[in-house]
């Protein structure tokens, strides 16, 4: 599908925009990303910045965006923590045991933190805060029947110290030990795409996901019924795209090209 077909025949009503690899790469803004976001905002196109980051609250991510010259509010940032909160509320679950850094607990204001008999165990990334005691507590609570919720299943991530284990490694360990499968609420799962679209008053079919990851952004969006725009920045891999059974609706050089593709 070329850019004019996407713009005129299947123009999305809103966008979900990935961050790492799409808006910024490490400590550097991807060229033109700030102008692209400004153009979308001026055109009245609603959007959410959608990320699998779980170790900081949305307000912190909004400040990171501002540091890159992209003014944003916490309400414009959508994370797996927010998707989890929506998932739990939909099931009337209130008592939770959450494996996240304490400063991210503000994303769960309507819940009771319970280390004894929670209704759900929520696993995110605690970084250096992981201990065998926390893992064993989560293990025992899951064996006792608590719901098993994974914010994401990323295997590792790149830091200034090199590659480090991410939340997916701890989720996999608990799945193996308990014989249970976690409910995934972050990318590429449907709950995150559905909740992010709903936060704009839209359905998944009315939005398009813009991202650099074929396996999480594009595959997840298509599975949720959304359209998908792949950018050739970040972790984009031409060979992976060529052999993938799931294809984006549009491929552009970077986020900078998206307003022209959608608004022309």
């Amino acid at each position: 599908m070329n850019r004019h077909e996407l713009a005129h025949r299947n123009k999305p009503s809103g966008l979900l925009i990935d961050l790492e690899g799409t808006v910024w790469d490490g400590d550097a803004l991807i060229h033109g990303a700030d102008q692209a976001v400004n153009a979308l905002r001026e055109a009245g196109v609603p959007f959410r910045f959608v990320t699998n980051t779980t170790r900081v609250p949305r307000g912190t991510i909004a400040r990171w965006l501002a540091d890159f010259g992209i003014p944003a509010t916490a309400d414009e940032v959508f994370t797996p923590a927010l998707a989890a909160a929506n998932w739990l509320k939909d099931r009337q679950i209130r008592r939770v045991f959450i494996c996240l850094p304490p400063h991210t607990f503000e994303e769960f204001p309507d819940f009771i933190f319970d280390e004894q008999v929670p209704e759900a165990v929520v696993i995110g990334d605690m970084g250096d805060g992981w201990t065998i005691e926390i893992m064993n507590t989560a293990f025992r609570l899951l064996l006792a029947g608590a719901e098993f919720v994974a914010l994401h299943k990323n295997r590792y991530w790149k830091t200034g110290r090199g590659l480090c284990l991410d939340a997916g490694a701890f989720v996999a360990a608990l799945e193996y030990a308990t014989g249970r499968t976690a409910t995934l609420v972050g990318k590429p799962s449907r709950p995150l795409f559905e909740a992010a679209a709903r936060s704009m008053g839209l359905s998944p079919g009315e939005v398009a996901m813009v991202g650099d990851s074929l396996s999480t952004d594009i595959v997840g969006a298509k599975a949720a019924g959304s359209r998908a725009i792949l950018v050739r920045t970040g972790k984009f891999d031409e060979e992976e795209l060529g052999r993938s059974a799931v294809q984006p609706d549009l491929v552009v050089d970077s986020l900078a090209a998206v307003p022209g593709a959608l608004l022309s």
Side-chain angles (χ1 to χ4, degrees):
M1 177 179 292
N2 63 42
R3 64 171 55 188
H4 297 294
E5 288 177 314
L6 184 63
H8 296 297
R9 193 180 70 189
N10 292 310
K11 181 180 178 180
S13 299
L15 293 177
L16 307 179
I17 304 172
D18 175 53
L19 289 175
E20 179 63 46
T22 302
V23 173
W24 62 63
D25 194 351
D27 295 330
L29 180 74
I30 291 175
H31 181 70
D34 50 349
Q35 291 96 328
V37 173
N38 289 337
L40 293 169
R41 196 184 295 281
E42 290 175 3
V45 178
F47 58 81
R48 293 289 183 268
F49 297 105
V50 178
T51 175
N52 262 359
T53 296
T54 62
R55 63 178 60 212
V56 295
R58 290 176 294 150
T60 298
I61 297 172
R63 288 193 292 275
W64 291 350
L65 282 160
D67 290 341
F68 279 117
I70 303 175
T73 66
D75 288 341
E76 291 178 317
V77 179
F78 211 89
T79 67
L82 193 55
N86 285 327
W87 188 92
L88 293 165
K89 287 178 182 177
D90 287 346
R91 287 153 184 80
Q92 299 183 330
I93 292 174
R94 293 198 63 215
R95 298 192 319 277
V96 294
F97 178 74
I98 297 178
C99 294
L100 282 173
H103 59 269
T104 67
F105 287 4
E106 65 186 66
E107 304 287 41
F108 298 87
D110 301 320
F111 296 87
I112 299 169
F113 299 95
D114 188 340
E115 297 184 9
Q116 303 300 320
V117 286
E119 298 166 273
V121 172
V122 179
I123 306 294
D125 182 33
M126 299 187 67
D128 294 336
W130 281 113
T131 66
I132 191 62
E133 181 180 358
I134 291 174
M135 286 291 286
N136 274 327
T137 298
F139 169 65
R140 296 183 188 112
L141 294 174
L142 291 170
L143 285 182
E147 291 280 356
F148 189 0
V149 181
L151 297 189
H152 66 77
K153 289 188 175 182
N154 295 0
R155 294 178 295 167
Y156 56 85
W157 69 299
K158 186 177 181 180
T159 73
R161 296 175 294 172
L163 297 179
C164 293
L165 292 176
D166 210 336
F170 300 94
V171 172
L174 289 168
E175 286 181 327
Y176 175 75
T178 62
R180 297 178 59 187
T181 299
T183 296
L184 177 64
V185 295
K187 291 188 293 185
S189 73
R190 288 185 63 93
L192 185 137
F193 290 92
E194 292 171 345
R198 190 166 64 237
S199 74
M200 298 185 287
L202 301 172
S203 68
E206 295 177 292
V207 304
M209 177 76 211
V210 184
D212 66 310
S213 172
L214 187 65
S215 61
T216 56
D217 298 320
I218 305 308
V219 170
K222 300 298 283 186
S226 302
R227 275 149 287 176
I229 302 172
L230 182 65
V231 293
R232 296 178 182 271
T233 54
K235 63 179 67 172
F236 172 81
D237 186 325
E238 191 76 56
E239 292 185 0
E240 181 186 29
L241 176 61
R243 63 175 179 266
S244 175
V246 178
Q247 292 291 306
D249 296 286
L250 181 67
V251 181
V252 296
D253 287 338
S254 71
L255 180 60
V258 170
L262 299 183
L263 303 176
S264 59

